[in-house]
Amino acid sequence: MIIQTAEPPIPKSQGDTTQNNHAFCSNQDKFLTLTLDLFFIASPDGYWQQVNPICERILGYNSQEFKARPWIEWVHPEDQQMTLAQLQKLRDCEEIVSFENRYRCKDGSYKWLSWNITLCPNQHLVYAVARDNTQRKEAEAAHRESEEQFRLLVDGVKDYAIIMLDPEGKIVSWNPGAERIKQYRAAEILGQHVRCFYTPEDIAQGQPDKSLKIAAQQGRVEEEGWRVRKDGSTFFANVVITALRGEDRQLRGFARVTRDITERQFAQETLERTNDELEKRVAKRTAELLQINERLKQEIALHQQTEVALAAETHYVTDLLQKLQQAQTKLIHTEKMSSLGQVVAGVAHEINNPVSFIYGNIDYAICYLRDLMQLVELYGIHYPQPVADIQTRITEIDLDFLMADMPKLLNSMKVGANRIRQVVLSLQKFLKVDQTEMKSADIHEGLESTLLILQHRLKPSVEHPEITVIQDYGKLPPVDCYAGQINQVFMNLLTNAVDVLEASGGKTPHQIKLSTEVQDISVEKPGASYCQKIPHAVIRIADNGPGISPDVCQKLFDPFYTTKPLGKGTGLGLSISYQIIVENHGGQLTCRSQPGVGSEFIIAIPINQIITRHPELSLTPS
């Protein structure tokens, strides 16, 4: 666009005026080099005549490229009409016009520029000063998007009642989750005091006001108790109240998150009743077994009177006693694992919900923090010399360290939350108590889940050094097995290895080596005089502890036999492990040990249980 002025240009004077103009131009060039804003001088024909160095650095064009084309071609097509309309005001005798538009850079991107433009009629020139506001525009857009995402997040939560209170405790916002749990519509409840959700007993004791007071003093309070719905019914709730304060530390209100945990409360009460009943049943069954034991002893004493019948009766009683011990061992193991599985499943479910909520919001917190840090950096660029109070506060809080450490802190929180999720997942994988038939399972996954659960015992402490785990895994196909039972065997063997290494003390590096491989093991074919080789998954668990003597090795798998001090072991772990591997899976469990060197437990499990139980289907003599 060509801008014409009302008066013709003033002719240049001679002599001193020319020298003064040269001096002025020299000082002007220095000023344009020093300024941080973009400075342009345009001729009335629509071309730039002069630009300062900051224009070239920000927009990417050199001076010749700026002057080669009309400046309007670099303005975003959607902003060109607005820009020309603003410049038209200069012709209407306005001294300065101000506006914003998008200006194309050399790389094809656009910068948001804030312009101040004036006309110098005497020189027939247009002077323009621009400031790069791209970061501010992007920050504003990101802030609007963050606010919208937060609103959508709160509105999308159906399982939690999320409400906002003013400093007096009156309700100012109400999400769909609150409407579902408490039955009030927003129009019915906004402006009401939060005490309307409490029982008459809690209101009489001043509980609502006490909770708000504690939250205001401590920043946060969490409570559980019975709450009242619109129809008068009650539900058991977990409530978290957080005080909201502004930059001036003045209380702006409260955020209140309520979760209906009535089912969990009932489940907990049911679990307590079930545990009581289970203890009574175990005590009753133990008493019955003791009575049977006593009766068997009396029968043995009577049978000893007859020498001829002594051998037969002794064999009968011994066999019966062994079966009773095995039955008792299986009963204790089954009831223990069942109770443990129910408890762990419930705890894992309850942990998963808040951890998922925390883990899912850390990314938003990181994003918000990044925006705030960029804003602080932008303030530092445009206001490098803050007032004394702000400078003092920056020194007190060590702003540079805070800016560098806060992202690391949030990333550490994210890693910690993810760690909790992995531990819960490992517990769920480890306790597969509902498995009633054999399924293909990943042996390495079971080993890793067990190691994760025992991780705290592998770390160094005052009493013993760190226990290093060496993992030498081979290629194992999926193995047909009861995965929960196999994981229990891994837990028993690894726990025993850790106990042995801790008891050995000393400064010698402690280590446990895990190795796996596929190995063909000879299995006797039913009704045949030869053996056949069947593929087995072989798992070795070795430690460098003090080792075991040969006579102890022979007794390790006997029920109730233990080498641990009184009160440290029941003697059932290895016996149960032997039953799981040998009887339930048709495998092998052996121990190799050398005093002073260490011990190694070797587990061999058939990979395909169908072929193992019916080897005639696919095997040939060997």
Side-chain angles (χ1 to χ4, degrees), residues 278-299 320-321 324-325 327-328 331 335:
L278 180 60
E279 290 178 359
K280 292 177 182 178
R281 288 170 54 194
V282 171
K284 181 180 179 181
R285 189 69 57 85
T286 303
E288 292 174 354
L289 291 174
L290 291 175
Q291 292 176 0
I292 294 173
N293 242 350
E294 188 62 29
R295 186 166 62 251
L296 290 174
K297 291 179 181 179
Q298 294 175 2
E299 291 178 1
L320 182 59
L321 181 59
L324 289 173
Q325 288 177 333
Q328 185 180 17
L331 174 64
E335 292 180 340

Side-chain angles (χ1 to χ4, degrees), residues 314-331:
T314 301
H315 177 74
Y316 166 75
V317 172
T318 301
D319 183 62
L320 182 59
L321 181 59
Q322 184 177 3
K323 290 181 179 179
L324 289 173
Q325 288 177 333
Q326 292 176 353
Q328 185 180 17
T329 300
K330 291 182 179 179
L331 174 64

Side-chain angles (χ1 to χ4, degrees), residues 392-515:
T392 301
R393 186 56 180 165
I394 289 175
T395 303
E396 290 175 351
I397 67 174
D398 196 356
L399 181 60
D400 291 339
F401 173 79
L402 187 148
M403 295 278 284
D405 193 63
M406 183 60 73
K408 300 176 183 178
L409 180 63
L410 285 176
N411 285 329
S412 297
M413 293 169 62
K414 184 176 181 180
V415 171
N418 187 52
R419 175 73 171 173
I420 296 174
R421 295 174 67 199
Q422 293 300 322
V423 170
V424 172
L425 180 61
S426 296
L427 285 174
Q428 292 173 332
K429 290 180 179 179
F430 179 79
L431 288 168
K432 297 180 178 178
V433 295
D434 294 332
Q435 186 174 342
T436 58
E437 62 181 9
M438 286 193 178
K439 297 180 181 178
S440 295
D442 186 346
I443 294 297
H444 292 156
E445 182 178 82
L447 286 170
E448 293 300 319
S449 297
T450 308
L451 286 175
L452 185 58
I453 295 172
L454 291 174
Q455 191 65 39
H456 67 286
R457 297 201 56 192
L458 303 177
K459 297 179 181 179
S461 66
V462 178
E463 293 80 13
H464 60 82
E466 180 183 10
I467 299 175
T468 303
V469 178
I470 302 174
Q471 297 163 285
D472 182 19
Y473 293 159
K475 291 185 178 180
L476 290 183
V479 177
D480 294 342
C481 64
Y482 300 104
Q485 295 183 11
I486 296 299
N487 289 344
Q488 181 65 24
V489 173
F490 294 159
M491 176 64 76
N492 289 339
L493 296 181
L494 286 170
T495 301
N496 286 345
V498 172
D499 290 342
V500 167
L501 292 175
E502 288 181 349
S504 65
K507 298 182 180 179
T508 302
H510 293 166
Q511 71 177 30
I512 297 174
K513 183 176 181 181
L514 304 179
S515 60

Side-chain angles (χ1 to χ4, degrees), residues 16 26 32 34 54 101 112 151 188 201 205 208 227 237 262 269 296 320 410 427 434 447 517 521 535 549 566 585 620:
D16 294 339
S26 176
L32 296 181
L34 294 175
I54 196 71
N101 65 11
W112 276 98
R151 184 188 66 78
E188 297 175 318
E201 294 79 9
Q205 296 176 4
R227 297 293 181 267
T262 307
E269 294 174 356
L296 290 174
L320 182 59
L410 285 176
L427 285 174
D434 294 332
L447 286 170
E517 64 177 346
I521 298 178
S549 61
L566 184 64
H585 292 82
T620 57

Side-chain angles (χ1 to χ4, degrees), residues 353-365:
N353 286 339
V355 168
S356 297
F357 184 81
I358 294 171
Y359 185 84
N361 280 281
I362 287 180
D363 286 335
Y364 292 106

